[in-house]
Amino acid sequence: MLFQNALIENSTAPACIRVEDGTFTAIRPDLSPNPGEEVIDLGGKLVLPPFIESHVHLDTCLTAGDPVWNRSGTLFEGIECWSKRKEKLSRQDIRDRVNRAVRLYAAHGVQHIRTHVDVTGPSLAAMEAMVELREELKGTMDLQIVAFPQEGILSYPNGRQLMIDAVKLGADAVGAIPHFEFTREYSVESLNFALELAAKEDKLVDVHCDEIDDGASRGLETVAARALELGLYDKVTASHTTAMHSYNNAYVVRLMRLLKMSKINFVSNPLVNTHLQGRMDTYPKRRGVTRVKELTEAGINVSFGHDDIFDPWYPMGTGSLRDVVFMGLHVCQMMGYEEIMDSYKFISSNAARTLHLGERYGIGAGRPASFIVLDSKNWYDALNSNAAVLYSYKNGRKIAEGVPGTSKILF
Ligand code: FE2
C-alpha cells in the first residue's frame, strides 16, 4: 500500500509512505507504485503518529450521575460518589463501558491507553476484567494497566496485599496515592512499598502524586529519590503533581536537580486538574496544574492525559486528546508559535516515552505502520480548527475513519 502527499509531523514537503505486511517499509519524497499496489492520495494532509492516552481511569468512565451526581464538583465528593457506584461494579458493567470508551478514543485517533484501575474494593473484578480486555483489544487499542489504590495502600484494609495480588493478576505498572494516605509517614512508606514492588516484579510505576493544592504535599521528592536509588529512572511516572503549582520557588529550584537526575516522567491532566483544583481557594483561585512549561524547558518528559471521561470526577469528555492539549496550552501559558506547533508531542512521542513503547511507536521504516491523518496541513491549524481525524491506521489496518466537519453558511 502506498500513501502519497503526506505532510508528516508538520513538514511542509509532501512525502510518500509505503506499508507492507503492517510495517512501514519506506518513507521518501518520491516513491512510485509497484505493479498492482494500492495507492491512496492523502492530498497534503497532516500525518502524525497515533495519539496516546497516558492517564485515564477506564474503570470509572461513563458513570457520571450513576447513582448520584457530584454536586460540589470536588475530588473528595467524587471519591464518595464512586464508592457508591463501586457497589454495583461487575465484570460485565466494566466490559460494556470500556468497550464504549475505547471506541470514543479510536474516533479521535488514539491507539494506546494507559489506564489506572482501582484495586481498593471487595474484589479485584475490575482488574480481572481489564486484563481480559487488554488481551481482546490487543492490536486495535493497546491497553497498559496500572494497579491503582484509590483509597490508599497503608490506609485501606489489606492494601499492600491487594497491590501484590493485582500485580500477580497482570498489572503492567504499580500505582500509589501518597496525598490520600492518613499520615505523612504512611505516604512515604506507601511509596517505598510501591517502588520496591515494581523493582522486584520488573514493572513500571505511575503514582497519583500530590494531587492536592497543599504546598506541603511532597510525595514527589520521595518518588524521584526512590526512582534514582532503585535504578528505576524513566520507568517511573509522577501523575498530576498539582501541589508543585503551590510549592515555593526556592524549593522548586532545589527539587529540579533531583527530578533531572531521577529521569522520571510527568503526566499532567489539564482538563480535570483545572476543574478539581483550587476548590478551597476564594480569590485569587489557583489553576492547580503542575509546572508543565518549566519542566518541559528543563528537558523533563511531560505528557498530557484526559484522566476522567464522564465520571464522578469530571462530568464531560469525549475521548478527544486535542481538547486536553487545547486546555493545557491555555492554562500553562504555552502559546508561543513553536509551543503550539510542538504540542501534539504531549499526546504522542512524549506519552510513548512514558509508556515505554520504544521501537513499537513512531513513523519510520521498520516500525509498525500505525499513524493518523488529520484534516489539516499542520498541527497548529488542526488544533485551532479541531480538525477531524480522517483515518487511523494501526499495524497497516484502518481502524477508524472520520469526515471533515462542515457548516453551510446561509448569508
Ligand atoms: Fe487519575
Side-chain angles (χ1 to χ4, degrees):
M1 202 163 19
L2 185 66
F3 296 88
Q4 296 177 322
N5 283 317
L7 296 178
I8 302 171
E9 297 200 48
N10 289 336
S11 165
T12 51
C16 297
I17 301 170
R18 173 159 285 136
V19 172
E20 290 167 295
D21 297 327
T23 303
F24 292 122
T25 50
I27 299 166
R28 288 210 302 268
D30 54 337
L31 283 171
S32 308
N34 293 326
E37 187 176 27
E38 184 185 353
V39 177
I40 297 169
D41 185 357
L42 295 179
K45 299 292 185 190
L46 171 66
V47 171
L48 292 178
F51 292 149
I52 299 171
E53 170 59 277
S54 53
H55 186 121
V56 72
H57 299 254
L58 286 180
D59 56 337
T60 64
C61 67
L62 308 178
T63 60
D66 178 11
V68 286
W69 289 96
N70 179 348
R71 295 193 184 274
S72 66
T74 60
L75 182 139
F76 291 99
E77 189 176 336
I79 294 175
E80 278 171 38
C81 295
W82 178 243
S83 65
K84 291 192 181 86
R85 180 59 174 79
K86 257 202 249 190
E87 288 166 18
K88 57 176 185 176
L89 213 56
S90 71
R91 189 182 281 227
Q92 196 53 47
D93 163 49
I94 291 171
R95 288 183 55 83
D96 292 346
R97 286 185 290 104
V98 171
N99 271 307
R100 277 159 56 209
V102 298
R103 282 161 179 82
L104 291 175
Y105 274 118
H108 291 104
V110 175
Q111 296 188 7
H112 299 263
I113 298 175
R114 173 179 280 186
T115 179
H116 298 255
V117 179
D118 185 4
V119 299
T120 51
S123 79
L124 289 172
M127 179 59 69
E128 285 166 9
M130 206 64 77
V131 168
E132 204 173 271
L133 286 157
R134 181 181 60 194
E135 202 51 40
E136 288 170 24
L137 292 165
K138 195 182 269 178
T140 307
M141 184 66 72
D142 291 330
L143 301 185
Q144 200 173 80
I145 304 172
V146 185
F148 170 53
Q150 173 81 72
E151 298 186 45
I153 297 176
L154 274 79
S155 313
Y156 189 79
N158 206 27
R160 285 190 184 88
Q161 192 58 45
L162 286 168
M163 293 296 289
I164 292 167
D165 292 347
V167 167
K168 273 203 195 103
L169 272 176
D172 301 293
V174 179
I177 186 164
H179 57 279
F180 195 79
E181 299 286 354
F182 290 151
T183 67
R184 231 183 77 79
E185 289 75 16
Y186 279 13
S187 153
V188 172
E189 209 178 321
S190 71
L191 290 171
N192 289 339
F193 169 83
L195 273 80
E196 280 163 16
L197 177 62
K200 181 166 160 257
E201 300 292 336
D202 192 23
K203 300 292 177 188
L204 300 170
V205 175
D206 195 330
V207 175
H208 275 65
C209 194
D210 307 318
E211 189 184 3
I212 192 165
D213 296 316
D214 174 9
S217 183
R218 297 193 170 173
L220 179 57
E221 62 182 22
T222 305
V223 170
R226 292 299 105 80
L228 176 69
E229 291 160 358
L230 290 166
L232 289 169
Y233 298 109
D234 64 348
K235 288 173 130 184
V236 176
T237 296
S239 282
H240 294 291
T241 62
T242 58
M244 196 181 186
H245 186 99
S246 299
Y247 289 167
N248 70 70
N249 291 334
Y251 173 68
V252 171
V253 169
R254 185 193 112 191
L255 179 64
M256 277 293 193
R257 175 174 172 265
L258 170 63
L259 297 180
K260 283 193 235 173
M261 286 167 72
S262 74
K263 300 186 173 64
I264 65 168
N265 307 293
F266 283 74
V267 179
S268 177
N269 301 291
L271 286 175
V272 172
N273 288 151
T274 309
H275 163 59
L276 291 178
Q277 302 310 134
R279 290 297 183 129
M280 315 300 163
D281 294 353
T282 51
Y283 288 94
K285 233 180 226 304
R286 284 167 289 178
R287 298 171 185 216
V289 173
T290 197
R291 303 189 186 204
V292 176
K293 192 181 177 87
E294 291 74 14
L295 290 166
T296 301
E297 283 170 1
I300 293 169
N301 186 46
V302 183
S303 63
F304 282 166
H306 207 307
D307 200 7
D308 297 281
I309 297 181
F310 194 74
D311 73 6
W313 293 274
Y314 185 67
M316 298 210 173
T318 60
S320 169
L321 294 183
R322 172 266 175 197
D323 292 353
V324 177
V325 173
F326 195 71
M327 173 61 91
L329 295 190
H330 283 79
V331 80
C332 300
Q333 300 187 329
M334 297 181 74
M335 288 282 197
Y337 179 78
E338 287 79 14
E339 287 172 321
I340 295 171
M341 279 293 251
D342 283 345
S343 62
Y344 69 93
K345 294 176 184 171
F346 286 123
I347 53 170
S348 58
S349 51
N350 293 9
R353 280 175 65 185
T354 297
L355 269 68
H356 274 244
L357 297 184
E359 301 286 309
R360 287 179 289 149
Y361 183 82
I363 299 173
R367 298 192 181 211
S370 301
F371 61 98
I372 58 175
V373 182
L374 280 90
D375 185 25
S376 181
K377 65 181 190 306
N378 62 38
W379 174 246
Y380 192 124
D381 289 351
L383 181 69
N384 196 30
S385 65
N386 197 9
V389 174
L390 299 177
Y391 305 113
S392 177
Y393 280 87
K394 188 164 176 70
N395 303 321
R397 182 170 70 94
K398 189 160 63 179
I399 62 162
E401 60 187 348
V403 289
T406 51
S407 301
K408 201 167 161 187
I409 305 303
L410 300 175
F411 64 92

